[in-house]
């Protein structure tokens, strides 16, 4: 089986699983981290328009070759923001107001921004606590250039996905009372995207189920 046939078959399976559980529109982000540019090119041939990267260097390299809507979803480092904002149109992992201040200074185009929520308070993994979330949301929503898209979360490995996404749905519902326009939810990866969608995810970040094991 050719690489194109392999990716095509996997992509169709993922799309059918999304269709089976989604009662609302869902954006599929194909995560290409650690895979070659050629795989991103195949995905583009197959009609994929949204690509996700965790590393700035890979995103910069692949987005220069493969046009599309590129999403940065890794932990943010201040010194990488100038580069990240040059190729990404969506950032999924903002959890620090200082990073947004840098984005406002260096971003060459408008960005759609998700705020990363910590579900267990372990901030070394990334994510703002619920109390910090609202302060950050006020800051981003006040921007005349960038858009507050909504919330994002990566559940802790040891937490049951159903419990994690149920908790995230409660946080999101309360958040929407204050920020009704920020109604997107980036949640769910290869192992649990169907559960995430059942709890309201509008954006799923899927890598290995489409491209295979890393």
């Amino acid at each position: 089986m050719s690489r194109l046939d392999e990716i095509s078959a996997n992509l169709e399976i993922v799309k059918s699983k999304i269709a089976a559980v989604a009662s609302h529109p869902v954006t599929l982000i194909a995560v290409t981290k650690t895979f070659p540019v050629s795989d991103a090119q195949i995905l583009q041939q197959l009609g994929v328009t949204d690509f996700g990267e965790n590393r700035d260097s890979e995103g910069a390299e692949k987005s220069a070759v493969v046009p599309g809507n590129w999403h940065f979803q890794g932990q943010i480092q201040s010194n990488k923001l100038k580069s990240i904002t040059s190729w990404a149109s969506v950032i999924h992992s903002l959890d620090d107001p200082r990073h947004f201040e840098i984005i406002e200074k260096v971003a060459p185009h408008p960005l759609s921004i998700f705020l990363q929520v910590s579900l267990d308070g372990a901030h070394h993994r990334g994510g703002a606590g619920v109390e910090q979330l609202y302060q950050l949301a006020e800051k981003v929503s006040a921007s005349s250039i960038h858009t507050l898209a909504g919330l994002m979360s990566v559940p802790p490995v040891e937490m049951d996905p159903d419990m994690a996404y149920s908790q995230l749905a409660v946080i999101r519902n309360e958040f929407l009372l204050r920020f009704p326009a920020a109604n997107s939810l980036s949640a769910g990866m290869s192992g649990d995207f169907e559960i995430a969608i059942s709890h309201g995810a509008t954006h799923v970040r899927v890598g290995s189920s489409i491209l295979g094991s890393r």
Side-chain angles (χ1 to χ4, degrees):
M1 185 187 285
S2 71
R3 185 63 172 149
L4 180 113
D5 289 341
E6 180 188 355
I7 292 174
S8 178
N10 290 344
L11 182 62
E12 287 312 308
I13 290 168
V14 169
K15 284 181 175 178
S16 66
K17 286 181 176 179
I18 290 171
V21 294
S23 57
H24 56 269
V26 175
T27 299
L28 171 61
I29 301 163
V31 179
T32 55
K33 69 174 184 180
T34 75
F35 287 100
V37 173
S38 55
D39 280 356
Q41 290 173 311
I42 288 170
L43 286 164
Q44 188 200 24
Q45 286 175 44
L46 294 169
V48 172
T49 56
D50 288 271
F51 303 90
E53 273 299 336
N54 289 49
R55 296 190 187 98
D56 169 49
S57 56
E58 285 195 66
E61 176 198 1
K62 293 170 193 172
S63 62
V65 179
V66 181
N69 199 25
W70 284 86
H71 301 247
F72 178 77
Q73 56 195 46
Q75 281 194 276
I76 294 171
Q77 293 173 271
S78 302
N79 61 341
K80 298 287 177 65
L81 274 169
K82 187 170 186 180
S83 178
I84 290 166
T85 58
S86 71
W87 58 264
S89 51
V90 187
I91 290 180
H92 287 249
S93 46
L94 184 69
D95 62 2
D96 187 329
R98 291 169 299 180
H99 290 154
F100 185 65
E101 287 163 15
I102 296 169
I103 287 169
E104 290 216 286
K105 288 175 186 162
V106 302
H109 52 246
L111 296 166
S112 183
I113 296 174
F114 288 83
L115 308 184
Q116 185 172 351
V117 189
S118 170
L119 295 179
D120 65 353
H123 300 311
H124 64 277
R125 265 202 299 265
V130 176
E131 66 288 343
Q132 300 158 298
L133 197 60
Y134 287 88
Q135 296 169 1
L136 192 50
E138 293 283 1
K139 208 171 183 66
V140 178
S141 62
S143 171
S144 58
I145 299 166
H146 308 295
T147 304
L148 177 62
L151 303 180
M152 178 276 238
S153 194
V154 180
V157 176
E158 65 278 6
M159 192 181 281
D160 172 67
D162 195 53
M163 187 184 296
Y165 292 129
S166 177
Q167 182 183 333
L168 181 60
V170 171
I171 293 169
R172 181 203 188 196
N173 288 340
E174 291 177 1
F175 185 79
L176 285 172
L177 297 175
R178 286 265 298 274
F179 301 96
N183 56 7
S184 294
L185 180 64
S186 171
M189 296 181 281
S190 285
D192 60 13
F193 64 85
E194 291 157 285
I195 300 169
I197 291 168
S198 73
H199 286 290
T202 61
H203 292 65
V204 293
R205 311 178 305 274
V206 181
S208 56
S209 289
I210 298 172
L211 296 174
S213 300
R214 291 184 173 83

